[in-house]
Amino acid sequence: MTVNETTETTAEGAAPEHGVLLTDVAADKVRNLLAQEGREDLRLRVAVQPGGCSGLIYQLYFDERMLDGDAVVDFDGVEVIVDKMSVPYLSGASIDFSDTIEKQGFTIDNPNAGSSCACGDSFS
């Protein structure tokens, strides 16, 4: 599994960076989905919310907003944003995409998850 190089913004006042990685396969899938949407103003937002059978759930969705405190990393044209409350839960996590006969969809490998449920959608 390879991970795209990130471009770092060092300008004063720029959004802080997060520690989430996006694989090449996942970045390509996001690019394809954005092309289908026909919008260039959307970013991939990754968040952690209370819920699920293990206590916390992941949320991945397209968002046009940049909120106060959001952290952002650009993966070769795909911006991934994480809200300030989710950054500690997601630092070091890797997002991948699988498209096989057994499963299809985005997966998150999170070293911060102490345990997860059988479905893989929630963690603690």
Side-chain angles (χ1 to χ4, degrees):
M1 174 184 327
T2 61
V3 178
N4 276 322
E5 292 293 320
T6 63
T7 56
E8 297 185 22
T9 306
T10 57
E12 189 174 317
E17 294 188 356
H18 55 72
V20 176
L21 302 175
L22 189 67
T23 67
D24 291 337
V25 173
D28 288 342
K29 182 61 177 181
V30 170
R31 273 189 216 90
N32 290 337
L33 291 170
L34 288 172
Q36 288 175 8
E37 290 289 324
R39 293 182 56 187
E40 297 180 10
D41 63 331
L42 296 176
R43 301 166 184 91
L44 179 64
R45 181 175 290 278
V46 184
V48 173
Q49 299 290 324
C53 50
S54 293
L56 298 169
I57 57 171
Y58 298 112
Q59 292 188 329
L60 278 76
Y61 58 95
F62 292 127
D63 198 348
E64 61 194 18
R65 304 166 297 146
M66 280 293 291
L67 305 174
D68 187 35
D70 278 350
V72 62
V73 173
D74 185 284
F75 293 90
D76 196 24
V78 174
E79 287 185 322
V80 177
I81 54 177
V82 178
D83 65 89
K84 64 183 174 184
M85 299 301 287
S86 297
V87 168
Y89 294 104
L90 294 169
S91 184
S94 177
I95 301 172
D96 197 9
F97 183 81
S98 296
D99 189 4
T100 67
I101 195 165
E102 296 169 333
K103 70 177 181 175
Q104 180 183 34
F106 289 96
T107 58
I108 299 177
D109 181 16
N110 188 350
N112 302 306
S115 63
S116 62
C117 64
C119 68
D121 289 336
S122 68
F123 69 100
S124 63

